């Protein structure tokens, strides 16, 4: 499905043509589905990713801070970070139509949603990121902002149970805000954030929007929370966690019960994922399972 | 922080599809064949779109209605708010692990 905004498509072609000589006036501009459905995006103010020949153009969400985004781009371009992150094709955001900011990336192969995810590689990759030396000038990781946005959505729902979940989320956010700024972290890690280039086959990280400094447990929170909510099987979770520990990942103690370090970020991840499922068409059973986990959280 | 000034060299996206492989009708990337529950399907390596042959969607629907997972062997820890030991896993529930929120 090409984008239905011809002026935006032309603008994206113009940006892509500066990198890939194959781009012409009729090259398709294809939106990449990163949430919701292609035909029913969740919200127009969210970020959008477009494929044009061999180039990815990302329009960042409305209200994205230019300075913070630039600092994050510089962060992933720092020494040795190219071994962990897919590098942008330019390190400065571009002003895009409709007051958006755009970044430009090479097209990569992404992880299939069908085959078994490479959980061991993923655990080791995150451990390596968390062990990198701290960089000056990076913002705090973006998980806190995503939690705040999810809570704001719950407040507007008009449902009593969701308003109570919002109150619970406020308490969670306050506690999470006190976690130490300990390491570098991706800030919004999930399986859609992995890609590799045609020549170098190892998985690297995508999506710089929430990259920053904070508690590295945030990056384990989505798999941990999905495991706890019964949406990820024990083998997958154990493979991921064991590989993370074997690679010296600092988010959890090297052995023993990891859950004290993971509990709060995992709760936040489940709450945020529940809100996202509520906003996504046809996610009924998963949404119900995530909301059931949220209900249990509020009582214990 | 040292500022990266030189952008990385553009690396053309030209993965070689396997002989006879399909090309994604939306974005033009090669599609790879997977077998899932005895059903063959093609997924695009660029935009993750899926192509099903005639009848395969019906097979998937039938399979889902017969779905039953193994009871989990809990690893001995986890939160009180978790769902361990009292229900089945939803296979494929981790598709929610692919999206930002």
């Amino acid at each position: 499905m090409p984008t239905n905004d011809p002026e935006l498509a032309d603008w994206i072609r113009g940006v892509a043509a500066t990198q890939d000589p194959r781009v012409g006036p009729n090259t398709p501009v294809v939106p990449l589905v990163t949430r919701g459905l292609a035909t029913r995006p969740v919200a127009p103010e969210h970020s959008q990713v477009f494929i044009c020949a061999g180039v990815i153009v990302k329009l960042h969400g409305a209200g994205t801070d230019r300075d913070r985004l630039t600092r994050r781009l510089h962060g992933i371009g720092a020494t040795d970070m190219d071994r962990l992150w897919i590098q942008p094709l330019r390190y400065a955001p571009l002003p895009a139509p409709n007051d958006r900011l755009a970044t430009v990336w090479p097209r990569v192969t992404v992880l299939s949603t069908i085959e078994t995810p490479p959980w061991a590689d993923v655990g080791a990759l995150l451990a390596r990121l968390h062990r990198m030396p701290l960089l000056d000038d990076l913002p705090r990781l973006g998980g806190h902002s995503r939690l705040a946005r999810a809570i704001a959505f719950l407040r507007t729902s008009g449902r009593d149970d969701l308003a109570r979940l919002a109150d619970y989320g406020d308490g969670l956010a306050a506690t999470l805000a006190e976690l130490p700024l300990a390491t570098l972290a991706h800030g919004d890690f999930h399986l859609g954030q992995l890609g590799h280039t045609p020549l170098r086959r190892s998985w690297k990280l995508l999506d710089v929007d929430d990259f920053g400094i904070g508690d590295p447990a945030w990056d384990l929170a989505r798999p941990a929370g999905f495991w706890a909510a019964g949406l990820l099987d024990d083998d997958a979770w154990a493979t991921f966690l064991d590989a993370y520990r074997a690679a010296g990942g600092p988010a959890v103690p090297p052995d023993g019960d990891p859950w004290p370090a993971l509990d709060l970020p995992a709760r936040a991840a489940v709450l945020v994922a529940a809100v996202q499922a509520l906003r996504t068409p046809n996610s009924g059973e998963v949404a119900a399972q995530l909301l059931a986990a949220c209900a249990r959280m509020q009582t214990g | 922080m040292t500022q990266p000034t030189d952008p990385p060299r553009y690396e053309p996206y030209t993965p070689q599809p396997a002989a006879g492989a399909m090309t994604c009708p939306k974005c033009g990337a090669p599609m790879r064949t997977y077998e899932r529950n005895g059903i063959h399907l093609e997924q695009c390596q660029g935009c993750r779109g899926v192509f099903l042959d005639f009848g395969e969607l019906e097979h998937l629907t039938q399979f889902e209605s017969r779905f039953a997972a193994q009871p989990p062997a809990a690893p001995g820890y986890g939160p009180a708010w978790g769902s361990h030991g009292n229900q089945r896993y939803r296979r494929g529930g981790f598709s929610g692990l692919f999206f930002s929120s």
Side-chain angles (χ1 to χ4, degrees):
Chain A
M1 187 194 73
T3 173
N4 55 13
D5 179 342
E7 286 179 24
L8 180 62
D10 282 343
W11 186 85
I12 290 168
R13 275 187 210 99
V15 171
T18 65
Q19 299 290 339
D20 186 345
R22 295 171 296 184
V23 175
N26 297 316
T27 304
V29 174
V30 178
L32 185 65
V33 182
T34 55
R35 68 185 92 219
L37 299 169
T39 48
R40 282 183 285 174
V42 169
E45 74 273 16
H46 279 152
S47 62
Q48 292 172 286
V49 178
F50 296 93
I51 303 170
C52 184
V55 179
I56 299 284
V57 177
K58 178 169 186 173
L59 296 185
H60 294 263
T64 298
D65 183 273
R66 182 191 190 95
D67 173 60
R68 278 201 288 271
L69 179 56
T70 305
R71 285 150 64 198
R72 288 173 161 139
L73 289 167
H74 287 164
I76 68 166
T79 309
D80 289 338
M81 294 288 271
D82 60 335
R83 295 178 355 210
L84 306 178
W85 288 85
I86 297 288
Q87 297 292 300
L89 293 172
R90 37 178 299 152
Y91 288 107
L94 287 169
N98 307 316
D99 282 332
R100 297 294 188 98
L101 293 169
T103 50
V104 191
W105 305 83
R107 183 160 173 176
V108 294
T109 296
V110 293
L111 187 61
S112 169
T113 52
I114 295 168
E115 62 189 342
T116 304
W119 284 112
D121 293 349
V122 174
L125 177 64
L126 288 174
R128 287 164 64 205
L129 174 66
H130 297 165
R131 294 181 63 179
M132 293 294 280
L134 279 184
L135 298 167
D136 299 336
D137 206 33
L138 261 186
R140 188 170 74 156
L141 61 82
H144 304 275
S145 309
R146 284 202 326 284
L147 177 58
R149 289 197 294 273
I151 293 168
F153 176 81
L154 292 171
R155 293 248 178 262
T156 62
S157 68
R159 276 171 54 178
D160 287 346
D161 59 334
L162 297 186
R164 282 194 298 277
L165 183 56
D167 291 341
Y168 172 78
D170 282 340
L172 198 55
T175 316
L176 283 163
E178 294 167 11
L179 294 182
L181 300 180
T183 74
L184 301 187
H186 181 282
D188 182 24
F189 180 74
H190 54 76
L191 294 174
Q193 308 285 36
L194 297 165
H196 67 71
T197 59
L199 298 180
R200 293 181 262 297
R201 307 285 298 179
S202 59
W203 293 109
K204 293 182 186 176
L205 297 165
L206 301 169
D207 189 357
V208 74
D209 288 34
D210 293 314
F211 173 48
I213 296 175
D215 186 328
W218 275 103
D219 285 350
L220 281 62
R222 187 90 73 110
F226 272 54
W227 169 72
L231 292 163
L232 180 68
D233 66 82
D234 290 330
D235 284 349
W237 166 246
T239 302
F240 170 70
L241 182 66
D242 290 351
Y244 181 83
R245 286 175 145 167
V252 291
D255 42 43
D257 184 357
W259 206 258
L262 298 172
D263 188 53
L264 290 175
R267 288 174 187 242
V270 169
L271 189 155
V272 171
V275 170
Q276 201 239 336
L278 283 170
R279 302 181 75 171
T280 304
N282 305 327
S283 63
E285 282 184 57
V286 170
Q289 200 153 339
L290 290 165
L291 283 170
C294 288
R296 291 193 295 271
M297 272 179 217
Q298 292 170 76
T299 60
Chain B
M1 191 191 305
T2 50
Q3 308 255 316
T5 46
D6 294 334
R9 198 168 53 83
Y10 175 67
E11 191 178 302
Y13 183 80
T14 50
Q16 295 304 309
M22 292 169 57
T23 299
C24 176
K26 274 174 66 181
C27 79
M31 301 188 85
R32 193 171 142 193
T33 304
Y34 295 94
E35 186 178 317
R36 180 79 175 258
N37 306 328
I39 293 154
H40 288 276
L41 39 79
E42 273 80 30
Q43 185 169 42
C44 173
Q45 294 178 265
C47 70
R48 296 200 189 94
V50 171
F51 187 93
L52 293 173
D53 283 335
F54 175 74
E56 288 177 331
L57 180 62
E58 291 74 10
H59 275 288
L60 278 175
T61 310
Q62 286 170 12
F63 188 87
E64 189 173 46
S65 64
R66 293 198 304 268
F67 154 79
Q70 299 296 317
Y77 60 78
W81 54 270
S83 61
H84 291 273
N86 59 10
Q87 69 173 77
R88 294 163 168 177
Y89 285 104
R90 268 188 64 79
R91 273 178 72 178
F94 71 79
S95 62
L97 278 167
F98 275 91
F99 298 104
S100 288
S101 22

